[in-house]
Amino acid sequence: MTATAPAQAPTPGRKTADDERLLKTSPLRKVLRRPELGAVVGAVAVFLFFAVAADSFLRASSFGTVLYAASTIGIMAVPVALLMIGGEFDLSAGVLVTSSALVSSMFSYQMTANVWVGVLVSLLVTLAIGVFNGFMLTRTKLPSFIITLGTFLMLTGLNLGLTKMISGTVSTKTIGDMEGFESARKVFASQLTIGGVNFKVTILWWVALVGIATWILLRTRAGNWIFAVGGEADAARAVGVPVNKTRIGLYMGVGFAAWVSGQHLLFSFDVVQSGEGVGSELIYIIAAVIGGCLITGGYGSAIGSAVGAFIFGMTSKGIVYAEWDPDWFKFFLGAMLLLATLLNAWVRKRAEATK
C-alpha cells in the first residue's frame, strides 16, 4: 500500500507556481475587459456605413459638424455614465439643461445685472438641484427613477410657468446687448478654426470632462467608491465607503454638466424656449448604455459614454448627409441601443470567462 506524500505548505513570502501574481494578463484579455469595446466596434461600423452611404460624410467640414453634435450629447453623457456606474439614474437631466439656461437669462435680464452674475447664480441653482436629488434619494430610500421623475415633472412645470409669468411668453427676452454677454459667449459658445475646419468650444468642454471623469474613475479613491456603490451599496457601506456622499456628489456632477450645456444653449441662440430639453435625458442614458454602462450599475467608463455620444453624432449628421428622411433617426437609435446592449453583454461574458 502506497502512501501519498502530503502537500507542502508554501513558504511565507515565496511565490508558488500557481501564484496569481505570476500570471500575466494577455493584451487580448485586457481589451475584452474594457467596457467600451462594444461601443468602439459599433462606432467603426457606423463610420464605415456612412462613409459608403454619404459622399460628403468624409469631408473635413463634416467632421467638425459631427464632433459638435456629439459634444452636445457627450457633455451630459459623461456624468450620466458615472451616475449609472454608481447604480442610479437621473430623468431630470434633460430639462435641467433648460432650467440652467432659463435661470441665467431671466436673472440677468430682470436684475439688469452683468450676464456673468446670472451665469454664477445658474451654477448654484443646478448644483442645488443635484444636491436635492441626491439628498432625497439617500433620505427616502426611494428608487432614483421615482425621485428624478418627480424632479423632471417639477422642473418642466417651473420652466414653463415661471417663464410665462416673468416674460409673458414661453421664451426668454434677449440679453445679447447686456454687459458680459460677449465674454460669456467666448467661453460657452465660441468656435475656433483649425486647418480650415470650424470646431465649437463645446468639443473642448467635452474632452475635458471625459478626461477628468476617467481620471476620477481610474486614479482616485472616489472612483473606487463609485464602482463599489454601484456594485453593492450595502457591502460598500460595510467597508467604510461614504455611500450617501458619493451619490450626492454624482448628482452634483450631473448638475454641473447641465450648467455647462445650458450656458451653451443660451449663448448660442441668445433666447431660450422654456419647453426644450424634454426627452433629452433618454438620449444621455442611451449614449451611456451604448458606451458600455450596465443598467444594474458597477460597470462602465467615461470613455465609453464619449464613444456612445460620437455614434449619436455620426448617426444624426450621417442621415442628413445621406439625404435620408430624418424620421428614421429614432428607429436607428433604437436598433443601436438593442445591438449595443447585446454586444456589451457578450463582451462582458467573454471578459469574465478569461479571468
Side-chain angles (χ1 to χ4, degrees):
M1 185 174 181
T2 59
T4 302
Q8 293 183 350
T11 304
R14 177 185 174 187
K15 295 182 180 180
T16 59
D18 59 348
D19 193 330
E20 64 180 12
R21 289 174 295 178
L22 296 178
L23 298 177
K24 294 183 178 180
T25 303
S26 67
L28 177 60
R29 288 182 178 180
K30 290 181 179 180
V31 171
L32 288 176
R33 291 177 184 176
R34 295 301 307 168
E36 61 272 7
L37 174 61
V40 172
V41 174
V44 172
V46 171
F47 178 83
L48 294 176
F49 177 78
F50 283 112
V52 174
D55 295 336
S56 58
F57 184 76
L58 294 178
R59 294 176 183 171
S61 58
S62 300
F63 181 67
T65 304
V66 168
L67 281 180
Y68 171 62
S71 67
T72 57
I73 297 172
I75 287 174
M76 288 300 298
V78 170
V80 167
L82 264 63
L83 187 63
M84 291 182 65
I85 294 172
E88 307 298 342
F89 292 94
D90 191 348
L91 297 181
S92 66
V95 292
L96 185 56
V97 171
T98 306
S99 298
S100 168
L102 290 172
V103 170
S104 294
S105 179
M106 289 191 291
F107 188 90
S108 299
Y109 185 85
Q110 296 299 321
M111 300 300 175
T112 62
N114 187 295
V115 167
W116 279 103
V117 176
V119 170
L120 294 178
V121 170
S122 176
L123 174 60
L124 295 177
V125 169
T126 53
L127 291 178
I129 293 173
V131 172
F132 172 80
N133 282 335
F135 179 80
M136 291 296 293
L137 176 70
T138 57
R139 287 294 181 178
T140 65
K141 308 300 181 183
L142 291 173
S144 57
F145 176 87
I146 298 298
I147 297 293
T148 58
L149 178 59
T151 307
F152 161 79
L153 294 173
M154 289 190 292
L155 288 178
T156 302
L158 283 172
N159 289 349
L160 181 59
L162 289 178
T163 303
K164 291 181 69 175
M165 183 176 68
I166 295 174
S167 302
T169 64
V170 295
S171 63
T172 60
K173 303 293 185 181
T174 178
I175 60 171
D177 58 349
M178 294 188 65
E179 183 180 356
F181 183 87
E182 289 301 324
S183 60
R185 171 176 279 179
K186 290 180 181 179
V187 174
F188 297 106
S190 62
Q191 67 179 21
L192 61 155
T193 303
I194 301 176
V197 180
N198 295 326
F199 295 94
K200 294 284 189 178
V201 73
T202 50
I203 299 172
L204 298 180
W205 279 101
W206 179 33
V207 171
L209 287 175
V210 171
I212 293 172
T214 301
W215 173 75
I216 290 174
L217 284 176
L218 303 181
R219 293 290 184 267
T220 69
R221 183 164 49 179
N224 293 332
W225 292 347
I226 294 171
F227 282 109
V229 170
E232 179 54 59
D234 292 335
R237 186 178 287 107
V239 297
V241 174
V243 175
N244 292 348
K245 291 182 179 180
T246 300
R247 286 171 171 166
I248 292 174
L250 289 173
Y251 277 105
M252 290 179 68
V254 175
F256 176 80
W259 171 71
V260 174
S261 296
Q263 304 317 296
H264 172 69
L265 177 66
L266 171 61
F267 293 107
S268 293
F269 304 103
D270 187 14
V271 296
V272 183
Q273 298 293 325
S274 58
E276 294 183 9
V278 176
S280 296
E281 63 282 345
L282 297 180
I283 302 296
Y284 308 146
I285 292 173
I286 292 172
V289 172
I290 290 177
C293 292
L294 294 182
I295 299 295
T296 53
Y299 188 79
S301 72
I303 295 176
S305 74
V307 179
F310 186 56
I311 290 175
F312 270 70
M314 288 192 293
T315 304
S316 62
K317 298 306 176 183
I319 288 177
V320 174
Y321 295 140
E323 299 181 354
W324 295 345
D325 187 342
D327 292 339
W328 288 97
F329 178 63
K330 293 292 179 66
F331 171 83
F332 191 90
L333 292 185
M336 280 299 305
L337 174 62
L338 292 176
L339 290 175
T341 303
L342 292 173
L343 182 58
N344 289 337
W346 177 82
V347 168
R348 195 181 186 206
K349 288 181 181 179
R350 293 288 298 173
E352 292 175 347
T354 57
K355 288 182 179 180

